Amino acid sequence: MKYRFGNRGLAVFILWAILLSCSGKHVIVRSFDAEESVDVEIKKEGCALLRSILCDIHIEHIDERKWVKLLKNNSYIDQKNKGTIYRIPPLVFFHSVIRNTGREPLRVESVKLSYGNIVKTSMKLKEVKKYVKSPVYNIFNFKSILSRKRLLSENYCIDEIDYNRDTIDYRFNFIPPSDTLIRIVVFEWIPVEIRKFKIIFSVTRSGIKRNISFNFIRNEFRGYGKDFIRKRKKEQDDYID
């Protein structure tokens, strides 16, 4: 499915819904959602928070609707291709926000995705570019998307952040005390038979190393009928609240 970028997020969503309704009864809508637990709090729109002794981490899967919001950030788009039709890349992107809650610099050594016996490290720019050679991806400034950003506000979820106002490029390879870092990580598409997986952050501070992990589940539901209507209504009510 293709999208046209602009200040018309609602129109894009409506178009998406229409396309689903016109494409037959076999449409399946998929999402990757963090599981709530004793350690993990789930906020609105699937934004998960885990607090540890080293840092606080928010993470959420970037779906089609959230891409519309992200692409309103001037630095995330290629200005030469602004306004062109685009397609969501065939990869899995996660938006993470890491806040150093201690008094010493914090390093994020790696971010990995794990399921079964498979462990994959987040992709680098050169690897991503192999998947996005088509002109339908020209609007994306992947170099900026995958670069570190400093977050200047206390809003930590995609729907709350004003990227043009509250983010700046970040050149350090560590996070100073009390600083907050936005890092978008990307992985190859997860095989459809995989229902559960983990996202694992390896972080260090003052010689202390911790692996901070989030459990994710692949959810699927039909893009029509009562189940779809109930799910969409719940999302809309949560968003309004």
Side-chain angles (χ1 to χ4, degrees), residues 30-178:
R30 297 179 174 87
S31 64
F32 300 107
D33 303 306
E35 290 189 300
E36 192 164 19
S37 68
V38 174
D39 300 319
V40 177
E41 172 190 352
I42 305 299
K43 298 184 161 186
K44 293 182 180 179
E45 301 301 318
C47 180
L49 164 64
L50 192 156
R51 302 182 190 275
S52 74
I53 62 171
L54 297 184
C55 60
D56 294 344
I57 300 179
H58 287 76
I59 188 170
E60 55 191 305
H61 172 236
I62 306 175
D63 59 17
E64 290 91 343
R65 186 188 64 78
K66 291 175 182 177
W67 271 119
V68 172
K69 170 67 185 293
L70 286 175
L71 291 178
K72 293 179 180 179
N73 177 4
N74 292 329
S75 71
Y76 283 168
I77 63 175
D78 185 329
Q79 295 297 322
K80 295 182 297 184
N81 293 288
K82 184 176 182 179
T84 61
I85 292 176
Y86 68 93
R87 187 183 295 277
I88 302 301
L91 299 166
V92 185
F93 290 79
F94 294 90
H95 180 278
S96 67
V97 178
I98 305 146
R99 179 173 175 78
N100 182 358
T101 55
R103 298 180 179 179
E104 301 292 336
L106 179 84
R107 292 182 182 273
V108 180
E109 304 293 348
S110 67
V111 185
K112 296 181 179 180
L113 185 149
S114 171
Y115 54 87
N117 296 321
I118 304 298
V119 178
K120 297 186 177 183
T121 303
S122 58
M123 300 170 69
K124 298 184 182 301
L125 178 61
K126 184 167 67 172
E127 298 172 294
V128 171
K129 285 187 173 180
K130 295 178 182 178
Y131 290 84
V132 293
K133 295 179 179 179
S134 168
V136 297
Y137 307 120
N138 284 350
I139 191 174
F140 295 87
N141 182 347
F142 287 104
K143 182 177 181 180
S144 180
I145 289 171
L146 298 183
S147 67
R148 300 175 178 88
K149 308 286 184 188
R150 184 184 180 192
L151 180 61
L152 305 177
S153 73
E154 294 185 359
N155 295 318
Y156 304 112
C157 301
I158 291 175
D159 285 331
E160 301 170 342
I161 298 171
D162 184 330
Y163 291 85
N164 290 315
R165 183 191 65 195
D166 296 331
T167 65
I168 58 175
D169 289 338
Y170 208 63
R171 302 303 180 189
F172 299 133
N173 61 358
F174 61 89
I175 308 174
S178 300

Side-chain angles (χ1 to χ4, degrees), residues 193-211:
E193 66 270 17
I194 302 302
R195 314 311 298 176
K196 293 187 176 184
F197 59 92
K198 293 179 181 289
I199 301 292
I200 305 166
F201 293 80
S202 294
V203 299
T204 59
R205 191 181 69 209
S206 301
I208 301 174
K209 182 176 181 178
R210 288 286 187 276
N211 287 333

